[in-house]
Amino acid sequence: MKVQFSDVSMRFGAMEVLQHVTLGAEEGEFLCILGPSGCGKSTLLNIAGGFLAPSSGSVTIDGEPVTAPDRRRIFVFQERGVFPWLTVEGNIGFGLFDMSAGDRQARVSQYIDLVGLRGFEKSYPRELSGGMKQRVEVARALAVNPDVLFLDEPFGALDSITRLQMRSELLRIWRAERKTVLFVTHDIEESVQLADRVVVMSARPGKIRRVVDIDIPHPRDLSSRRYIELRDLIFGEIGLAHQV
Amino acid sequence: MKTHPRDTEHAEKALSAPSVPLWFQRFMLPLTTAAIILILWSIAVRASGTKIFPTPAAVAKAITTLAEKSLLWHYIADSLTRVFAGYTAAIAVGIPLGFLLGWYAPLARSINPLIQMLRPISPLAWMPLAVIWFGVSNAAPTFLIFLASLFPIIVAAMNGVRNVPPMYIQAGRNFGLTTPQLMTRVMIPAVLPRIIVGLRLAFGIAWVVLVAAEMIAVDSGLGYLIIDARNAGKRYDLVVAGMLMIGLIGLLLDTGIRKIEQWISD
């Protein structure tokens, strides 16, 4: 297992946030962690990222226990995480400070192309749309060549059309770069569109209710019978009737 | 979300474009107001027959006389030197101190109450002590300027550091920055816009305090010009001339800092 959570529990004071989470992600896997707001899924990701220590249990990556943040595993926030004082180039090159200027330039250029921001190298984040800022953040993370990406509701602040585009962009990039991805979301459709496996969590204290294999090849047909079956399965698992 | 200055400019332009051109609004409107006030002032002085308050013409003449005798330039230079000495000292102390207080919560808990207690004391209240410590010299007003600018700068830096979005710090750590690197590459640029606002605020206070300090602690400068003009022969034309110079220079310096502010936030 690339990323292994072993019996992870977390409490903040009297509040129990995570209960006995045991979960593994394989190398190169796209894993979605799905659950209602406040179920501890972000906490789980922060523990894996080394930003929080669990109250009990442990996380290992490549068999080594996670104790601190590491550039081999980059955390991606909603687009608010881009640095407003740096240009697109400056943001993407942010983590490459130990490279020579020439190498850095080449790497930045490569990722500007990958996320489709050619022509915006010198723009500042405030000149960009939400989706473009999110691309900058993904490129900034990928540029340091991490082997794991943690995405915490990265598209949550985008409008639904941009969100859909960003999902297919992310899948394209993931296929090209083959990173292990842990993607936290509260959006059922999003999880079924993206993931190899969806980890469905309960409301707080967060526990794993079920892990659902999404056995649909990419590109996924969102009106196929299997897609709808899996989506409804998860709707049912979360305890929602699929009606408005 | 803060509106960008250029946006409001565009909006202004769009609203007024067909009828009144922007340059007119920018320059002619304030100039017209100034002209009207000068005329009213002039009329009021003549109509009331006051011997104390000078006419605009008398003030203009006083300014030219002062300028010719080069006394004015010396006084301006002295005032500016004091302000910049006290102000830069306050920056040198206030920004690092504010950063430390913002970064280390226990430090803030131990020192912040003291700062908050000293802050509402007018810097002028320190004047008797300043005169005893430094005598009648440049050091006394400079010290008061230092005190006046110090607290707004500390508070701006401290609040700036505290309000840096945690995800910037998290991202910095994630990319492997050490604490000094985190300071220079994340914290300082993130805090800079707030600090500049604090610097402008501090400068405004410093300039106000300077004039009052110069009325007591020294024998040169714009504040001294005013008090001296009154004491040595009730020259109210010089008093008002001094007031106008103080206002004008204050405006120029504030505009300068605003320009820097805009340039940094751009």
Side-chain angles (χ1 to χ4, degrees), chain B residues 146-190:
Chain B
F146 168 77
L147 280 180
S149 353
L150 182 63
F151 294 112
I153 293 174
I154 291 177
V155 171
M158 180 175 73
N159 288 340
V161 169
R162 284 179 180 169
N163 284 300
V164 170
M167 60 186 68
Y168 293 173
I169 299 167
Q170 202 171 337
R173 291 267 185 232
N174 202 168
F175 285 106
L177 300 191
T178 60
T179 302
Q181 284 173 326
L182 192 68
M183 287 295 149
T184 54
R185 300 196 58 213
V186 176
M187 296 308 289
I188 290 175

Side-chain angles (χ1 to χ4, degrees), chain B residues 11-13 19 27 54 56 64 68 72 90-91 102-103 106 110 142 147-148 160 162 177 183 207-208 246 253 256 258:
Chain B
E12 231 175 84
K13 216 170 200 163
S19 51
F27 300 103
T64 27
E68 274 164 12
L72 182 64
I91 291 175
W103 190 253
S110 37
T142 304
L147 280 180
R162 284 179 180 169
L177 300 191
M183 287 295 149
W207 191 242
V208 169
I246 289 162
L253 293 171
R258 265 176 207 275

Side-chain angles (χ1 to χ4, degrees), chain B residues 11 13 45 48 70 76 86 117 144 156 164 173 180 182 204 223 230 240 252 261:
Chain B
K13 216 170 200 163
V45 170
S48 66
S70 83
I76 290 175
M117 197 205 72
L144 296 186
V164 170
R173 291 267 185 232
L182 192 68
R230 196 206 62 158
V240 177
L252 284 176
E261 196 179 323

